[in-house]
């Protein structure tokens, strides 16, 4: 066994076990968290990740953790840094064509809050924990292929450092994201796919400047949607709605800051502190669900099974709730020989997934600019906001969804 350039296990055949109980495909947050929970419960597992650790840790993605996510990260023994550095937010602001509404999450959702803590940090904490426990995470595993999924003894083949390997297992957890191999290993006629692709994306920027506000601001403006978010009191994350054919290279920092200011209410724009970007990227927006989330001994979790547009901050949180249900099922199998929870995994996970899909779709539809829906669509958006602004019931419904529905 040697330390690879990415600081994780790489190299020779001796590093690759011939067999494990649960083979986890994908070393993103879903795969690493499942691996960590299983290891702590005494269930042997191996994670196969296509990329290097450095690459995985350079991806800038989610920023908002629901209470249930925070609780499960603590249960997995990876909550210490999050508890020190995460920012607990008990409210969130919506600006609709310069009309402002603060939603008191804690007051409306029975004390539930959200925590601002980057996905990059969650992933780094999980890698540190996997290292500390001696967990096996095999990076840069190429050409992963899954076999005999409908039998009691599935296995995966892959290439590592130019050598072909095979790992046999009891179960495979497909945590390899939207573009992974797991979902594509299920015969087409066994899956139902549901998809909505939005006609725009988000252009995002990360910069070491203080955030414009203590809380997140979701802003709907005639120029399009904007989001003011953050990673800390000195690091901001901002997004603006952009056409799908936009090129990041065409966006200088100055151009971005100017466009952002134009999407925000004047007093917020006046407080905006600008500076050089650390990262800039464009993400397309999509709603997607694959049903069921199980095929034989393969269980899908996280983005491998579903995608939400980022507007509700639900993607990472859904990956974590899937892991919660799957972990419960696997532990019941190994500890008590009880397969009821595994049998119900897909149904339980999908019940929560669809509610988060609904909320993310609703937030996206209400706050983005959709010229193609015409004046009627614009009035519907205004009516949605009016109702939210004037109904405590609507605000309570928003808050319980934003802070996270129970598992
Ligand atoms: P990931 O993170 O995509 O990890 C999958 C891993 O699998 C690896 N992989 C393979 N490994 C082996 N063999 C193969 N054939 C493989 N193919 C792929 C990949 O390299 C990767 O390491 O999926 P996971 O673990 O399910 O986690 C899901 C989350 O990453 C995702 O839902 C969130 O980032 C979505 N999201 C947000 N979620 C939130 O809950 N709150 C937010 O505030 C939030 N903001 C966001 C977001 C996503 C964004 N983008 C870029 C899409 C903001 C943005 C801009
Ligand atoms: C982020 O900080 O990246 C973020 C926050 C809230 C969202 C989406 C992304 O809804």
């Amino acid at each position: 066994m040697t330390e690879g350039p990415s600081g994780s296990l790489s190299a020779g055949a001796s590093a690759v076990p011939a067999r494990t109980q649960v083979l986890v495909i994908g070393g993103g947050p879903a795969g690493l968290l499942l691996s960590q929970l299983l290891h702590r419960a005494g269930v042997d597992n191996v994670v196969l990740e296509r990329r290097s650790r450095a690459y995985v840790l350079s991806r800038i993605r989610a920023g908002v953790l629901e209470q249930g996510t925070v609780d499960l990260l603590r249960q997995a023994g990876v909550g210490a840094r999050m508890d020190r550095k995460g920012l607990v937010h008990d409210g969130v602001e919506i600006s609709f064509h310069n009309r402002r509404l603060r939603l008191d999450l804690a007051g409306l959702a029975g004390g539930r809050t959200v925590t601002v803590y980057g996905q990059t940090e969650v992933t780094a904490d999980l890698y540190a924990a996997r290292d500390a426990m001696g967990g096996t995470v095999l990076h840069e595993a190429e050409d992963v292929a899954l076999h005999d999924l409908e039998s009691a003894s599935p296995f995966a083949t892959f290439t590592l450092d130019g050598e072909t390997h095979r790992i046999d297992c009891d179960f495979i957890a497909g945590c390899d994201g939207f573009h992974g191999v797991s979902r594509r290993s299920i015969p087409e006629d066994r899956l139902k796919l549901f998809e909505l692709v939005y006609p725009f994306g988000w252009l995002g920027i990360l910069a070491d400047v203080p955030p414009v506000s203590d809380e997140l601001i979701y802003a709907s403006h005639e120029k399009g949607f904007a989001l003011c978010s953050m990673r800390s009191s000195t690091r901001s994350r901002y997004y603006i709605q952009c056409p799908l054919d936009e090129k990041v290279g065409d966006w200088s920092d100055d151009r971005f800051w100017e466009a952002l200011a134009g999407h925000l209410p004047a007093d917020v724009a006046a407080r905006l502190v600008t500076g050089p970007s650390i990262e800039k990227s464009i993400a397309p927006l999509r709603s997607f669900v694959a049903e069921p989330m199980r095929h034989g001994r393969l269980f899908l979790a996280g983005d491998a099974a579903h995608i939400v547009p980022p507007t509700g901050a639900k993607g990472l949180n859904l990956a974590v709730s899937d892991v919660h249900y799957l972990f419960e099922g696997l532990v019941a199998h190994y500890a008590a020989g009880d397969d009821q929870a595994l049998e119900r995994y897909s149904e339980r996970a999908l019940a929560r997934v669809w509610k988060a899909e609904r909320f993310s779709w609703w937030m996206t539809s209400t706050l983005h600019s959709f010229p193609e829906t015409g004046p009627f669509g614009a009035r519907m958006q205004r009516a949605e906001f009016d109702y939210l602004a004037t109904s405590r019931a609507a605000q309570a419904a928003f808050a319980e969804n934003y802070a996270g529905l129970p598992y």
Side-chain angles (χ1 to χ4, degrees), residues 60-64 116 202 216 218 225 227-231 237 239 309-314 363 402:
I60 311 293
R61 286 183 169 180
V64 177
V116 171
W202 279 15
L216 269 65
Y218 290 86
F225 170 83
L227 169 61
C228 306
S229 183
M230 66 195 75
R231 291 292 176 271
R237 179 78 166 149
Y239 299 95
T311 326
K314 293 288 164 239
M363 262 189 100
Y402 191 80

Side-chain angles (χ1 to χ4, degrees), residues 26 86 155 364:
F155 66 97
T364 305

